[in-house]
Amino acid sequence: MESAEPVGLVVDNLSKRYHGAKKDLFNGLSFDLRRGGRLAILGRNGQGKSTLIKMLGGVLPETGGRIRWQMTSSWPIGFGGGFQGSLSGLDNIRFLARIYNRDYADVLARVDDFAELGTSLKLPVKHYSSGMRARLAFGLSLAIEFDCYLIDELVAVGDARFQQKCQEELFQHRADRAFMMASHDTHLVASHCTRALIIESGKAKLFEDIAEAVDIYTWLRAA
């Protein structure tokens, strides 16, 4: 169970329908997240997990309902869609440091240390591989501190050593922060989350018992 921290996010009757679709991807999603809360978002492929993370991060608009943030949130970790491709990694870092009113030298040092991109930061982002873009976005998400982190399977970026580094930064060094994590990795979810939202056939159910949610999700995947 989560502690009695103040509520930092309220999602009320949220729905999403893509342009041209005949029905909603999901609808009626309602839940809240307290500061320091850890919520898993579970669902089979195509149920809308990544869409929900992008909506919460402001990347995609909602079709109906409301998202009310009362704490600062990251963009979806590893999402590179907000980068200007013709600019270098360094220039993108400078731009985001300005937006968030952070010291550029400090942000650069933290991104450089975490993302391990070296001289590639001088290259235009459009020449980056998807993994390099994810590292840059991940590094920026951790260089600019947030109250809540949005995670969409991005702990799987890079080799085993880098994955371990990602997990330590998120789950150990930021143990006091809130996060929402969309993942198929039930071991990761069971280890780090306290509640879960399962999306299935356009509807969602919130589970306060993470073990029960993992059991039901495992059954759904096997069905």
Side-chain angles (χ1 to χ4, degrees):
M1 297 291 292
E2 290 181 9
S3 64
E5 292 286 338
V7 172
L9 168 67
V10 176
V11 175
D12 183 29
N13 202 31
L14 192 67
S15 65
K16 180 63 179 178
R17 178 180 297 192
Y18 282 104
H19 180 71
K22 294 183 178 180
K23 63 178 182 178
D24 293 340
L25 177 61
F26 53 72
N27 58 57
L29 270 65
S30 296
F31 63 92
D32 60 44
L33 184 71
R34 294 184 180 276
R35 288 176 176 267
R38 298 189 161 194
L39 178 68
I41 300 173
L42 303 174
R44 295 183 293 177
N45 288 336
Q47 299 298 316
K49 300 186 305 299
S50 293
T51 294
L52 176 57
I53 288 287
K54 288 178 180 176
M55 291 169 69
L56 294 170
V59 179
L60 292 175
E62 60 267 33
T63 302
R66 293 184 65 191
I67 298 171
R68 288 179 289 162
W69 282 102
Q70 295 161 10
M71 58 181 168
T72 61
S73 72
S74 74
W75 52 84
I77 288 183
F79 175 70
F83 292 131
Q84 171 53 253
S86 61
L87 296 180
S88 68
L90 293 174
D91 288 335
N92 274 281
I93 293 170
R94 182 178 288 106
F95 177 68
L96 282 167
R98 267 187 203 159
I99 287 178
Y100 287 94
N101 195 28
R102 301 296 197 276
D103 179 72
Y104 168 66
D106 178 61
V107 174
L108 172 59
R110 298 179 71 177
V111 173
D112 188 36
D113 178 65
F114 181 84
E116 302 175 4
L117 291 171
T119 57
S120 294
L121 286 173
K122 298 178 181 179
L123 299 175
V125 171
K126 64 184 177 183
H127 296 313
Y128 284 16
S129 66
S130 58
M132 291 168 67
R133 290 172 72 98
R135 283 181 179 235
L136 178 59
F138 207 143
L140 273 165
S141 296
L142 299 178
I144 299 172
E145 299 289 342
F146 297 102
D147 297 325
C148 179
Y149 289 89
L150 302 174
I151 309 164
D152 187 10
E153 295 285 8
L154 264 301
V155 186
V157 171
D159 58 20
R161 182 194 61 80
F162 191 77
Q163 290 178 35
Q164 182 62 33
K165 184 178 179 179
C166 292
Q167 292 194 35
E168 289 175 359
E169 286 292 332
L170 277 170
F171 304 134
Q172 295 179 27
H173 299 168
R174 290 165 178 77
D176 60 333
R177 312 298 171 82
F179 70 72
M180 279 175 281
M181 178 168 60
S183 179
H184 290 299
D185 188 333
T186 53
H187 175 71
L188 193 68
V189 164
S191 298
H192 298 295
C193 297
T194 57
R195 304 157 74 218
L197 186 77
I198 296 181
I199 306 175
E200 175 67 25
S201 301
K203 299 295 181 181
K205 181 174 175 59
L206 185 65
F207 292 83
E208 299 292 341
D209 185 329
I210 192 65
E212 180 186 7
V214 167
D215 284 345
I216 291 175
Y217 174 60
T218 300
W219 176 82
L220 284 171
R221 290 185 71 185

